[in-house]
Amino acid sequence: MKTIAPPVVLCVHDLACLGRAGMGAVAPVLATMGFQPVPVPTAVLSSHTGGLGEPARMNAAGFAAQALNGYKDLGLEVSCVFAGYLPDDAARAAAARAFEQWPAALKLLDPAMADNGKLYQGMEDAVEPVRQLAARADLVLPNLTEACLLLNEPVPEGPVTPDWACALADRLRESLNTGVVVTGLPMGKNIGVCAAGRTAFLVQKPRLARSFPGTGDLFAAVLAGSLMRGNALSAAADMAAEFVWQAISHTGPAADTRLGVWYEPLLGRLAPVREG
């Protein structure tokens, strides 16, 4: 049986030790899907910042740049650069450098800076730098709030229509001149994911009455893995949305929502299908 080394995904993201978000969600998903995640932490936190109190923080300043130097010296081959939570200029510079250092890699940006109509704490000056970085990516995965911020448009307060969602995605695609998938679109009884342009599509899943941190990270990781398997963007988005929906559905009704969804028992569904 012929064996092939797992393709490398460079993960420029935060490492939140508790809470199933950031690297803690992305790395297990990518590994299960048959890839080698290589973490480049932009911040090391005792927990994510979504309701678990003020986390302990480890200063990661300078680490990412040194890590990228080391990987360059090693001649590391990278199939995908996955950039997520970039809390400061140094982290955003590291992501930009990784995009440049591996130009043939899939360059994916999850602009994790806002949700529910407002910026995350400490990200008040992030919009313009993230906009500039997004224009250098192959694919950008903003939620509704982030998409509106990148367009300097107000965030709608209620449900949106499919036509409005697709128009928003199209405006953002034209503004950034890159691929765009907008997530977390409230559509009444459903939650939507929308892309525009040559690969236009709208995916909707039933809306569940609970909200968890880290679901955007799960969505982005599954989508990235599916794309690297050679699937079309629409199929990858549908697979990612379905996995997140299943993970939320699987999480017990008495679960502490601050700790994220119980995706671990479902990881086997993402594993490559063995032939023979």
Side-chain angles (χ1 to χ4, degrees):
M1 184 175 67
K2 185 177 180 180
T3 59
I4 301 174
V8 169
V9 182
L10 196 75
C11 301
V12 188
H13 214 317
D14 72 296
L15 175 57
C17 301
L18 177 66
R20 296 186 181 91
M23 199 90 70
V26 169
V29 166
L30 290 172
T32 300
M33 295 184 77
F35 304 97
Q36 180 190 354
V38 175
V40 179
T42 58
V44 180
L45 311 171
S46 60
S47 65
H48 67 70
T49 58
L52 291 171
E54 183 63 26
R57 298 172 181 264
M58 182 183 296
N59 188 352
F63 174 83
Q66 294 176 40
L68 294 178
N69 285 338
Y71 298 146
K72 182 178 181 181
D73 293 342
L74 288 170
L76 183 68
E77 295 184 6
V78 172
S79 296
C80 175
V81 176
F82 184 117
Y85 181 65
L86 307 171
D88 51 37
D89 289 339
R92 291 185 281 269
R97 179 181 166 189
F99 285 172
E100 294 174 359
Q101 196 159 306
W102 289 281
L106 171 66
K107 296 176 282 293
L108 186 149
L109 174 65
D110 177 6
M113 61 177 176
D115 201 3
N116 297 318
K118 61 182 180 180
L119 287 158
Y120 296 147
Q121 183 178 1
M123 301 295 280
E124 293 79 11
D125 298 323
V127 175
E128 184 54 35
V130 168
R131 183 185 291 115
Q132 294 177 15
L133 182 63
R136 305 166 78 170
D138 297 317
L139 182 63
V140 184
L141 305 174
N143 59 35
L144 174 60
T145 299
E146 292 158 349
C148 291
L149 288 170
L150 289 170
L151 284 168
N152 194 27
E153 296 182 5
V155 181
E157 295 182 359
V160 301
T161 66
D163 287 345
W164 187 94
C166 291
L168 174 75
D170 196 48
R171 291 196 300 277
L172 187 57
R173 180 187 62 85
E174 291 181 357
S175 174
L176 299 176
N177 193 30
T178 193
V180 169
V181 177
V182 182
T183 66
L185 294 159
M187 295 182 168
K189 295 182 179 180
N190 295 331
I191 289 288
V193 173
C194 187
R198 299 170 72 179
T199 56
F201 60 81
L202 174 65
V203 174
Q204 296 188 63
K205 298 295 177 181
R207 184 169 188 162
L208 300 172
R210 294 185 292 170
S211 178
F212 296 85
T215 51
D217 298 316
L218 283 177
F219 177 90
V222 175
L223 182 141
S226 183
L227 286 177
M228 287 187 289
R229 286 178 175 174
N231 292 315
L233 181 58
S234 57
D238 186 68
M239 178 181 182
E242 178 65 18
F243 183 80
V244 171
W245 185 84
Q246 289 181 6
I248 295 173
S249 300
H250 178 83
T251 305
D256 186 341
T257 59
R258 300 174 301 171
L259 298 180
V261 295
W262 298 352
Y263 69 86
E264 295 91 345
L266 307 180
L267 282 174
R269 303 180 185 185
L270 300 175
V273 178
R274 294 183 178 273
E275 298 181 359

